[in-house]
Amino acid sequence: MTMMQRDDGADDMPDLWAGAVDLGALGRSLGFALRRAQAAVAEDFAARFGPEDIRPIQFALLTVLRHNPGLRQTQVSFALGVKRTNFVPLLDELTGRGLAERRQVPGDRRAAALFLTRDGAALLDRLEGLARAHEARFAARIGAADYATLLGLLHRVADRALDEG
Amino acid sequence: MTMMQRDDGADDMPDLWAGAVDLGALGRSLGFALRRAQAAVAEDFAARFGPEDIRPIQFALLTVLRHNPGLRQTQVSFALGVKRTNFVPLLDELTGRGLAERRQVPGDRRAAALFLTRDGAALLDRLEGLARAHEARFAARIGAADYATLLGLLHRVADRALDEG
DNA sequence: TATTGTTATACTCTATAACTATA
DNA sequence: TATAGTTATAGAGTATAACAATA
């Protein structure tokens, strides 16, 4: 129950103490609510995928490659919301670990088509089990119906209408 | 309508192209949905608060100081979900700009009590108008009722039950 | 001994500019 | 001229370890 720090270096960030503080308008801030939810989800993800040494964006990349073998680098980076310039080292790490690979594109010698390797596919098989448990945790926390509602609302927030600024 | 890059350095990360790619299980991933929503909200925040040179966490800090004058550094950092070690330079920047200040605590010479300065309060008055417009944009995007629902669901995701791992 | 604030440091994420080799 | 991928770099965000002053 105590929210004290562990002796030395390692802090923790107790969401529990926050209750004692008046957050004012932050309580009605979408950005702040997203931040808190992100932290909770990221913590659970790290606990499950950490032993496999896989971060969220890496899992997302492997998943996109499985469902879209042969996509160009730029297409994948855009789908993930990662600038193509930052995508390079991200992909490099996975290719370096033998999980993904670049292949030449017949018609265009500039382009690289991306594929999962056999090892990458095998790893992803295992990761998908972790992912299901990860999602299930939050579905259980707020209820399956609200979980589905939440996913839909988040995507509606992200999918800006074309007539908006 | 084109999602081409602007000539040179500046990429953009078109969420629109993502539709052409099969995201597979990512479509049912809470973390990925949070990431997309975060990006949309952060973009709007930056457009509005950028001219004031205020980032989300800085606005959050100013807001907490207004509603809780005299709190200790550690309490504020915990309320914001920022480790106290990372909180130091964050607060330093605001005190350096004359927006917040540390004061001595009578009973404890280790501690620092935090307050908004007059300038900080004046700035926050203006920022709160920007914040209202910022929130209103997303309330309008998905509807006021769904916006309220979304806020509630996000906080339920973050507020872990005590009997959970 | 424990806590408050602090420094130093490292790693990840994100962003811009500019380059190369192709087209 | 424009595009695909790349490099270099800088700014934030976040993490751990360890210290001084004080309790």
Side-chain angles (χ1 to χ4, degrees):
Chain A
M1 188 62 265
T2 72
M3 290 314 311
M4 308 296 102
Q5 287 84 21
R6 271 169 266 113
D7 203 327
D8 219 350
D11 290 67
D12 27 19
M13 312 187 320
D15 262 331
L16 305 176
W17 269 36
V21 173
D22 179 5
L23 294 175
L26 293 181
R28 276 136 268 138
S29 160
L30 180 52
F32 193 73
L34 286 167
R35 177 190 169 88
R36 297 214 324 138
Q38 269 267 20
V41 171
E43 182 187 355
D44 185 77
F45 188 100
R48 294 177 195 276
F49 290 74
E52 300 283 3
D53 198 17
I54 289 289
R55 281 164 285 136
I57 192 62
Q58 296 173 319
F59 174 67
L61 172 49
L62 294 173
T63 297
V64 167
L65 294 191
R66 160 157 291 172
H67 287 83
N68 308 267
L71 274 192
R72 312 301 187 74
Q73 240 176 259
T74 299
Q75 292 179 294
V76 176
S77 74
F78 279 5
L80 295 178
V82 174
K83 292 193 186 299
R84 69 193 202 288
T85 188
N86 294 325
F87 187 79
V88 175
L90 169 62
L91 179 61
D92 281 348
E93 194 190 332
L94 293 190
T95 60
R97 289 166 64 177
L99 302 174
E101 61 179 359
R102 294 174 170 93
R103 290 191 207 154
Q104 273 215 353
V105 172
D108 189 338
R109 289 199 300 174
R110 296 171 301 181
L114 304 188
F115 295 88
L116 234 44
T117 62
R118 214 162 168 226
D119 281 358
L123 173 61
L124 186 52
D125 286 340
R126 263 183 296 136
L127 296 180
E128 280 170 351
L130 301 182
R132 274 188 292 275
H134 170 64
E135 300 300 328
R137 180 187 195 89
F138 295 99
R141 184 175 293 181
I142 68 176
D146 281 348
Y147 173 81
T149 299
L150 175 55
L151 276 182
L153 290 175
L154 287 171
H155 284 295
R156 282 173 55 205
V157 165
D159 293 332
R160 109 188 52 201
L162 289 174
D163 55 319
E164 279 190 72
Chain B
M1 185 65 263
T2 72
M3 290 315 310
M4 310 295 103
Q5 287 83 22
R6 271 169 268 112
D7 203 328
D8 221 349
D11 289 67
D12 26 21
M13 311 188 320
D15 262 333
L16 305 175
W17 270 35
V21 172
D22 178 5
L23 294 175
L26 293 181
R28 276 135 269 136
S29 158
L30 180 53
F32 193 72
L34 285 167
R35 175 190 169 87
R36 296 214 325 138
Q38 270 267 19
V41 172
E43 182 186 356
D44 185 76
F45 188 99
R48 295 177 194 275
F49 290 75
E52 300 283 2
D53 198 16
I54 290 289
R55 281 164 288 133
I57 192 63
Q58 296 173 320
F59 174 67
L61 172 49
L62 293 174
T63 298
V64 166
L65 294 192
R66 160 157 293 172
H67 287 82
N68 308 267
L71 274 192
R72 312 300 187 75
Q73 241 176 256
T74 298
Q75 292 180 295
V76 176
S77 75
F78 280 5
L80 295 178
V82 174
K83 292 191 186 301
R84 70 194 202 287
T85 186
N86 295 324
F87 186 79
V88 175
L90 169 61
L91 178 62
D92 282 347
E93 194 190 332
L94 293 190
T95 59
R97 289 166 64 177
L99 302 174
E101 60 179 0
R102 294 172 169 94
R103 290 191 207 152
Q104 273 215 355
V105 172
D108 189 338
R109 288 199 300 173
R110 297 170 302 180
L114 304 189
F115 295 88
L116 233 44
T117 63
R118 216 166 166 220
D119 283 357
L123 173 61
L124 187 52
D125 286 339
R126 264 184 294 137
L127 297 180
E128 281 170 350
L130 300 182
R132 274 189 292 274
H134 171 64
E135 300 298 329
R137 181 186 194 92
F138 296 99
R141 184 176 291 181
I142 67 176
D146 282 347
Y147 173 81
T149 300
L150 175 55
L151 276 182
L153 291 175
L154 288 171
H155 284 296
R156 283 173 55 204
V157 164
D159 292 333
R160 109 185 54 199
L162 288 174
D163 55 319
E164 280 191 70

